[in-house]
Amino acid sequence: MILVTGGAGYIGSHAAVELLENGYEIVILDSLANSSYESILRIKELTGRNFEFYEVDLLETEKVENLFRMHNIKAVMHFAGLKSVGESVSFPLDYYGNNIAGTLNLCKIMSRFNVRELVFSSSATVYRTIGNQALEESSSLGANNPYGRTKLVIEEMLHDLYRSDPFWKIVILRYFNPIGAHESGKIGEDPAGIPNNLMPYITQVAIGRRPVLQVFGEDYDTPDGTCIRDYIHISDLVKGHLKALEYLTGPPGIETFNLGTGKGYSVLDLVKEFSRASGIEIPYQVTDRREGDVPICYASAEKARNRLLWEAEKDLFEMCQDAWRWQAMNPYGYGVIKT
Ligand code: NAD
Ligand code: UDP
């Protein structure tokens, strides 16, 4: 039995489908702080599989312990967390409290129940990005916002945990920019309020919920002046998680892998490719740079290719097609009308 924390969220829901479709038994824990129960129903509908769902916060120790008591958990895929960079700057204590204390609590409970297999969602934001170089797992680290720092602290905490008890098996996955949706269009990304990320903003402009996309700066030292990122299809990303789970069947240890494609695309590349995939022109206006954005960020995907035997397969066009299918089939995401 695999425990999926944050399984009602964007990445967790896709991972849950991938796990169920590959024959795993799962149980999902999510506070629904940033997601809705409808996604749980959709996972069941899509896979035709049943599983237990607990609307529980990781900080509710007794309830989390009960879950471990009720189910024979073998490994945990830990997605639960808050992820908005801007919000983390305004409310750092919420981020430290939720992400760090939540993970600390989870690990303590796992230890207590002798569950020592963990896949953790980290982020490319932990890298100190300099210049135009593919980021390797060994590249220098240094987050420049509270959200990123929570990921760095958790990574260090997991290393300390392994050092103290070498029976743990831990895989840290550093995601680059996951976009797109399940090809069925039944599950996808459903941000609350105004999207912070580029792709959901584009799809909301395309569906008519927002009038125009703001492109944050076109004076960067890049071919078209806009920032470059490593966009990765959510389906490829969650396949990487299954490879990580297989990796955990090996000897104990702690290992970090990038999940990216190794290719960078600019903001305007993504806008153009989205128009090609959807047939919809995206009106945009160039505004000031967004504070904290680095010009170029893309992965070296070598380590995951060699050690996890995983690589991303879907291209930018498919990412755009699938993101658009989800938005077109679900103009208001999981149904709650949000402005
Ligand atoms: P999401 O907000 O869609 O999903 C996170 C889920 O965790 C939500 O359903 C939320 O309700 C739940 N949650 C938050 N705090 C909780 C708590 N204390 N107890 C129980 N549930 C809680 O985000 P996502 O995009 O699916 O991201 C999943 C993980 O991946 C996060 O840890 C995020 O930081 C990380 N990540 C995401 C991205 C990205 O671009 N989406 C990139 C890098 C890393
Ligand atoms: N971006 C943009 N307009 C938006 C949202 C994002 O121009 O409304 C740009 C942003 O400056 C960055 C890229 O798109 O260069 C990806 O941003 P996102 O927030 O999706 O990911 P991250 O900053 O985490 O790489």
Side-chain angles (χ1 to χ4, degrees), residues 38-104:
E38 179 63 22
S39 73
I40 300 294
L41 298 177
R42 299 276 183 100
I43 297 168
K44 292 185 177 177
E45 186 192 327
L46 198 52
T47 59
R49 298 269 317 269
N50 203 9
F51 55 85
E52 294 291 327
F53 166 68
Y54 294 86
E55 186 178 342
V56 166
D57 193 296
L58 278 176
L59 294 167
E60 296 178 293
T61 306
E62 269 181 39
K63 290 184 183 170
V64 182
E65 281 179 342
N66 266 339
L67 186 157
F68 275 81
R69 220 165 271 131
M70 309 251 297
H71 301 275
N72 186 14
I73 309 288
K74 184 170 188 302
V76 179
M77 274 195 193
H78 176 35
F79 299 97
L82 302 176
K83 65 163 182 179
S84 158
V85 171
E87 197 179 59
S88 79
V89 173
S90 306
F91 305 103
L93 300 184
D94 288 350
Y95 272 67
Y96 284 99
N98 193 78
N99 293 1
I100 298 178
T103 305
L104 177 67

Side-chain angles (χ1 to χ4, degrees), residues 61-214:
T61 306
E62 269 181 39
K63 290 184 183 170
V64 182
E65 281 179 342
N66 266 339
L67 186 157
F68 275 81
R69 220 165 271 131
M70 309 251 297
H71 301 275
N72 186 14
I73 309 288
K74 184 170 188 302
V76 179
M77 274 195 193
H78 176 35
F79 299 97
L82 302 176
K83 65 163 182 179
S84 158
V85 171
E87 197 179 59
S88 79
V89 173
S90 306
F91 305 103
L93 300 184
D94 288 350
Y95 272 67
Y96 284 99
N98 193 78
N99 293 1
I100 298 178
T103 305
L104 177 67
N105 220 27
L106 173 69
C107 291
K108 278 187 182 170
I109 295 168
M110 287 175 70
S111 286
R112 229 170 272 152
F113 285 84
N114 285 317
V115 179
R116 292 196 184 83
E117 295 183 23
L118 177 69
V119 180
F120 172 64
S121 305
S122 189
S123 167
T125 188
V126 299
Y127 289 114
R128 188 189 304 281
T129 315
I130 317 154
N132 180 7
Q133 272 170 358
L135 293 162
E136 294 178 1
E137 288 78 356
S138 56
S139 296
S140 59
L141 303 178
N144 61 357
N145 59 67
Y147 164 70
R149 276 188 281 275
T150 67
K151 294 293 182 191
L152 265 183
V153 171
I154 294 169
E155 287 199 6
E156 284 175 12
M157 181 175 88
L158 295 177
H159 279 276
D160 286 336
L161 179 60
Y162 173 70
R163 264 179 228 118
S164 74
D165 175 357
F167 289 104
W168 276 83
K169 298 177 175 184
I170 300 172
V171 170
I172 293 171
L173 298 175
R174 293 185 183 144
Y175 310 156
F176 280 69
N177 289 56
I179 59 171
H182 191 269
E183 61 183 10
S184 65
K186 286 198 180 298
I187 56 171
E189 189 170 11
D190 183 22
I194 301 169
N196 295 304
N197 299 111
L198 181 58
M199 181 55 102
Y201 207 105
I202 291 176
T203 61
Q204 291 196 9
V205 171
I207 200 77
R209 284 173 63 182
R210 317 261 159 217
V212 59
L213 171 73
Q214 275 91 42

Side-chain angles (χ1 to χ4, degrees), residues 124-125 129 131 135 144 175-179 197-198 216 220 222 224 226-232 260-270 290-299 316 319:
T125 188
T129 315
L135 293 162
N144 61 357
Y175 310 156
F176 280 69
N177 289 56
I179 59 171
N197 299 111
L198 181 58
F216 299 143
Y220 286 98
T222 61
D224 68 14
T226 64
C227 291
I228 289 178
R229 293 289 180 276
D230 184 340
Y231 297 98
I232 173 170
T261 65
K263 294 191 203 80
Y265 290 98
S266 74
V267 174
L268 294 181
D269 287 336
L270 190 62
R290 181 171 69 178
E291 214 185 306
D293 278 345
V294 294
I296 300 175
C297 177
Y298 64 98
L316 200 64
M319 300 181 211

Side-chain angles (χ1 to χ4, degrees), residues 242-279:
L242 265 73
K243 291 290 189 186
L245 211 50
E246 285 167 25
Y247 187 86
L248 290 183
T249 60
I254 179 163
E255 209 59 69
T256 303
F257 297 98
N258 287 338
L259 293 185
T261 65
K263 294 191 203 80
Y265 290 98
S266 74
V267 174
L268 294 181
D269 287 336
L270 190 62
V271 170
K272 282 188 205 122
E273 198 66 354
F274 183 85
S275 293
R276 205 164 73 84
S278 64

